[in-house]
Every structure is written in structure tokens, then in C-alpha cells.
Amino acid sequence: MTTGTQAGASCCSTASAPSAANPAAVTAGSKNLLADDSAEMTTCPVMVGSAVTKATAVAAGLFRDFEGERYYFCCAGCGPAFDSDPAKYAANMA
């Protein structure tokens, strides 16, 4: 199986091992939560610019609450990355 990467692709579209540059790239082949245009959307605070459908992220458990705000993630690798420094990643959404 060959996995290509694109500029701006989310962490779940890479087959590479986690690195300091991309701490969220922990699982290859994960479902990317880029979504339909009719749903309420946001962006991932870890993979800035990756679109996320809020309802789909909630259904998959891909969110965290921090200081009274909810943050939604594009893939399973982003939650643990967020947990490592929530204030840093929350600042990406400001």
C-alpha cells in the first residue's frame, strides 16, 4: 500500500513515524475527519488548517475540553499531542 502526502494534509494521511515536527503523526491509515460542507466545521488546533466536522469528531471521541472551550481534532494522534501542551495548541485557535 502506498500513501502519498500532500501539502496541508492532516496528520492522519501520513505513513511516517511521529517526529518533533509532526507529533500527531502516530497512526497511518486513520480516518481523516475532513468533511462535508453542510456540517458545523472548525479546524484542528494541532494540525492547523485541517478542517474538522464537529459532530464527527465528537462521535469519534476526538475532542478535548480546556479552560471552558472545546477543541476538535482531525485524527486520533492530535488528542495526545494536545494533551502534552494544551495552552500552546489552544493558542493556535485564538
Side-chain angles (χ1 to χ4, degrees), residues 7-73:
S10 80
C11 58
C12 44
S13 65
T14 65
S16 62
S19 69
N22 186 1
V26 294
T27 53
S30 295
K31 181 179 178 184
N32 191 333
L33 297 179
L34 298 179
D36 73 70
D37 296 328
S38 64
E40 188 175 355
M41 303 290 295
T42 189
T43 59
C44 179
V46 177
M47 296 299 295
V48 178
S50 293
V52 179
T53 303
K54 290 179 178 182
T56 304
V58 169
L62 300 177
F63 66 92
R64 299 288 193 278
D65 294 320
F66 176 70
E67 294 185 345
E69 296 292 325
R70 180 158 283 183
Y71 299 89
Y72 304 88
F73 308 116

